[in-house]
Amino acid sequence: MSGLRRVCAVLVLPVLLAGCGGTGRDPAPTYSTAPRPVRAGETAVHTAPRADGRITFTVIGLRTGITYVVGSHGDQKAQGRFVRVRLVAANGYPNFHTLDLGRERLLTTDGKAYAISENATRIKRQPDSLDIGAGDRVEFDLWFDIPAAARVAALRLYGEPTDDLGVSLPVGPGVRVPLG
């Protein structure tokens, strides 16, 4: 019987030790960033990041129903209502990557798509395009002017896919990010 116990111990011990050791890999380390308060009138948005090519978009804030924008060099009344969407774009490419923000669209529940408001974008000093460094991320606002009765549904965002040398690839359908 003692021989049987030794055989069992030899067979069972490695299984038990393997179970205690986990996967043998530590989880990937993450940056520790402090939470920030949501801006006045804005709602925090908690959607999963979405990627188009190697550009990952994360929507973090939404404000609807804005009737007027004011900046240091101009102001404008909305034709309908302004919508401000705060998002983060992360560049997973090994080189600079340019985003043409004029391609982005706000989708409403009635199925219509709206381009950014160039005037509101300029008044609020937001970019028309972005050059993002390799491995960098940037946070910015998109401004839209939609009919007052329209209800926000989602964003259609375009990562402008390239190869690793920065050569443009055919632009696909983009990525849809729900906002409600």
Side-chain angles (χ1 to χ4, degrees):
M1 189 100 156
S2 69
L4 182 58
R5 284 186 187 158
R6 279 190 207 125
V7 170
C8 287
V10 168
L11 294 174
V12 172
L13 187 60
V15 172
L16 291 175
L17 291 175
C20 295
T23 63
R25 293 179 293 192
D26 291 330
T30 60
Y31 291 111
S32 191
T33 56
R36 296 190 335 256
V38 175
R39 296 180 291 179
E42 191 170 82
T43 301
V45 176
H46 303 284
T47 61
R50 305 288 169 99
D52 186 33
R54 292 191 204 166
I55 300 297
T56 302
F57 297 100
T58 306
V59 176
I60 61 172
L62 175 67
R63 183 167 179 199
T64 61
I66 303 168
T67 57
Y68 213 84
V69 292
V70 177
S72 62
H73 60 289
D75 56 77
Q76 181 177 349
K77 183 176 180 353
Q79 292 177 0
R81 294 285 185 259
F82 288 115
V83 174
R84 180 183 72 202
V85 182
R86 185 76 170 168
L87 65 148
V88 176
N91 179 6
Y93 289 101
N95 48 32
F96 281 100
H97 195 81
T98 301
L99 293 180
D100 174 5
L101 300 178
R103 294 184 47 93
E104 318 307 357
R105 296 292 182 262
L106 181 73
L107 310 175
T108 53
T109 55
D110 61 4
K112 293 184 180 172
Y114 296 89
I116 63 169
S117 167
E118 290 182 19
N119 288 333
T121 297
R122 282 182 176 59
I123 290 168
K124 297 313 275 184
R125 296 194 188 273
Q126 293 299 302
D128 316 271
S129 67
L130 286 171
D131 286 332
I132 308 173
D136 288 348
R137 48 187 261 150
V138 64
E139 189 173 314
F140 57 96
D141 292 329
L142 295 176
W143 284 84
F144 301 91
D145 191 350
I146 65 173
R151 292 185 40 216
V152 172
L155 280 177
R156 171 78 51 204
L157 300 168
Y158 296 89
E160 310 288 335
T162 68
D163 66 13
D164 285 349
L165 299 174
V167 176
S168 294
L169 298 172
V171 176
V175 62
R176 187 177 193 276
V177 181
L179 294 176

